[in-house]
């Protein structure tokens, strides 16, 4: 009897997993992202540009603080922002530029928000599923008049945890993939510290 009960429990659990709709899955993803924001979020944004090729950018956010880092042709560029002040480091010139915070820097820190509320303005459906993940298609609804929203996106969600694995889309011919999502960012990771860049020249452009 115990063996039969175990088999029945497994079948019921399997059916429950398969019965998940795209909307239900995304509701859980939204909960995961909302909880994760409190701990801070780290992720990689992979950009593929025709002719120029692929470039990766790592972003870390914690509250109002943000850090972005990328490498272009062997040169490291790192930017920090706390909403009021922006710091930018260029490894080639070994300069740190300080500027007053701008609205654009706050917007750039919101990449993770694309994982949230995806059902708002999009028609969603499960494209396919594997033993480990759901692949969800998100197509822009006819009622969505926001010109900045991409026409379609593909979200991969890990089964069991509902942790978002990646989000891919295309904007103006540029393919963007957000991946390697991690919850848990420390203040040190998103706070500029001049001691980490001894000998760097400071260029303060604040008025």
């Amino acid at each position: 009897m115990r063996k039969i009960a175990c088999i029945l429990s497994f079948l019921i659990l399997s059916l429950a997993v398969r019965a998940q709709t795209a909307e239900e899955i995304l509701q859980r993803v939204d909960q995961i992202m909302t909880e994760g924001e409190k701990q801070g979020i780290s992720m990689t944004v992979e950009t593929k540009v025709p002719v120029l090729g692929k470039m990766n950018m790592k972003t870390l956010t914690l509250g109002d603080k943000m850090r972005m880092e990328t490498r272009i042709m062997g040169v490291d560029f790192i930017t920090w922002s706390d909403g009021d002040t922006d710091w930018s480091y260029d490894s080639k010139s070994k300069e740190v530029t300080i500027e007053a915070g701008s609205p654009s820097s706050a917007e750039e820190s919101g990449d993770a928000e694309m994982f949230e509320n995806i059902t708002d303005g999009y028609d969603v459906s499960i494209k396919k599923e594997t033993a480990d993940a759901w692949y969800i298609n998100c197509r822009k609804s006819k009622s969505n008049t926001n010109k900045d929203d991409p026409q379609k996106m593909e979200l991969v969600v890990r089964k069991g945890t509902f942790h978002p694995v990646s989000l891919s889309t295309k904007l103006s011919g540029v393919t963007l993939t957000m991946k390697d999502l991690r919850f848990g960012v420390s203040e040190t990771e998103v706070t500029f510290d001049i001691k980490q860049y001894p000998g760097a020249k400071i260029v303060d452009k604040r008025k």
Side-chain angles (χ1 to χ4, degrees), residues 118-123 139-151 153:
I118 292 180
T119 52
D120 293 346
Y122 283 86
D123 300 319
R139 293 188 178 277
K140 191 174 182 179
S141 304
K142 291 182 179 179
S143 58
N144 186 349
T145 58
N146 190 334
K147 296 184 293 183
D148 295 328
D149 285 349
Q151 289 297 320
M153 302 181 290

Side-chain angles (χ1 to χ4, degrees), residues 42 45 119 124 149 176:
S42 169
V45 181
T119 52
V124 297
D149 285 349
L176 298 174

Side-chain angles (χ1 to χ4, degrees), residues 4 9 19 44 70 76 92 98 133 177 195:
I4 293 174
S9 297
T44 298
T70 189
D76 294 321
K92 184 176 181 180
I98 306 176
T177 301
K195 295 177 183 177

Side-chain angles (χ1 to χ4, degrees), residues 23-62:
E23 289 81 5
E24 290 170 337
I25 294 168
L26 293 177
Q27 285 176 2
R28 293 294 303 275
V29 170
D30 192 39
Q31 292 174 1
I32 294 292
M33 292 300 298
T34 300
E35 294 169 3
E37 279 187 341
K38 300 173 185 177
Q39 308 168 44
I41 298 176
S42 169
M43 63 188 295
T44 298
V45 181
E46 180 183 276
T47 306
K48 291 183 180 178
V49 183
V51 181
L52 297 178
K54 185 173 66 175
M55 180 182 71
N56 285 337
M57 177 174 65
K58 185 176 181 179
T59 68
L60 301 94
T61 58
L62 179 63

Side-chain angles (χ1 to χ4, degrees), residues 4 6 20 112 162:
I4 293 174
C6 289
Q20 295 277 358
F162 292 90

Side-chain angles (χ1 to χ4, degrees), residues 45-97:
V45 181
E46 180 183 276
T47 306
K48 291 183 180 178
V49 183
V51 181
L52 297 178
K54 185 173 66 175
M55 180 182 71
N56 285 337
M57 177 174 65
K58 185 176 181 179
T59 68
L60 301 94
T61 58
L62 179 63
D64 293 331
K65 291 187 175 183
M66 175 271 298
R67 170 178 173 155
M68 295 191 303
E69 52 188 67
T70 189
R71 170 171 287 195
I72 302 175
M73 299 180 67
V75 181
D76 294 321
F77 296 94
I78 309 175
T79 300
W80 299 258
S81 178
D82 63 5
D84 296 319
T85 307
D86 296 342
W87 297 262
S88 301
Y89 174 70
D90 181 330
S91 68
K92 184 176 181 180
S93 64
K94 296 190 183 304
E95 286 186 353
V96 173
T97 302

